[in-house]
Amino acid sequence: MSATVANAAPASTFRVFFPRLALAVEDGERVAELKLTQTCGEFWGLAGIPKDWGVEIVSPSSGTASLHASAGHGASSIFDLQKWNGVVQISGTHARCKDLNAVITTETVERRKEYYFSGRELQLRK
């Protein structure tokens, strides 16, 4: 007896790694949200999502796939973006694809700030 798996992992899948983000830790700056968009592939999998974070993935619509992750509340915001390194897996793309972009939102008690990363600043690894 044999079965075919329709959703088998594609041959070209990569994990997303972020550059180091220098947060104003002395001011209590924490990562509260992360948004990724790509036009050259799909989000294929997630592993190791930080505790009390929610994730929404929208499959390609008009050629664009998006992922939005956010902390459940202020206490679950994280002090280090590196906790997301290797968590997001994408497919249908290759290491030279630069259509992947990220917006990282941080918060302190007094302000919200957005950091933008282009595909050239993000790393894709097998």
Side-chain angles (χ1 to χ4, degrees), residues 73-121:
H73 51 77
S76 57
S77 297
I78 55 178
F79 284 108
D80 190 355
L81 181 59
Q82 302 309 305
K83 290 185 187 244
W84 276 97
N85 275 344
V87 170
V88 178
Q89 186 178 16
I90 61 175
S91 70
T93 186
H94 50 79
R96 290 190 178 95
C97 178
K98 301 305 177 192
D99 291 337
L100 178 66
N101 296 293
V103 178
I104 309 301
T105 304
T106 63
E107 295 179 336
T108 65
V109 173
E110 299 174 357
R111 68 170 167 77
R112 285 176 61 89
K113 184 175 180 180
E114 290 185 339
Y115 296 87
Y116 298 90
F117 295 108
S118 70
R120 295 189 189 286
E121 296 170 294

Side-chain angles (χ1 to χ4, degrees), residues 13-55:
T13 60
F14 293 87
R15 294 176 298 134
V16 178
F17 288 79
F18 298 90
R20 184 149 307 276
L21 183 60
L23 300 176
V25 179
E26 65 281 353
D27 294 337
E29 185 178 21
R30 294 177 171 208
V31 176
E33 285 183 65
L34 140 66
K35 295 177 186 172
L36 290 168
T37 57
Q38 64 175 332
T39 57
C40 57
E42 299 177 271
F43 293 100
W44 185 257
L46 298 170
I49 299 168
K51 187 175 182 175
D52 198 29
W53 276 63
V55 178

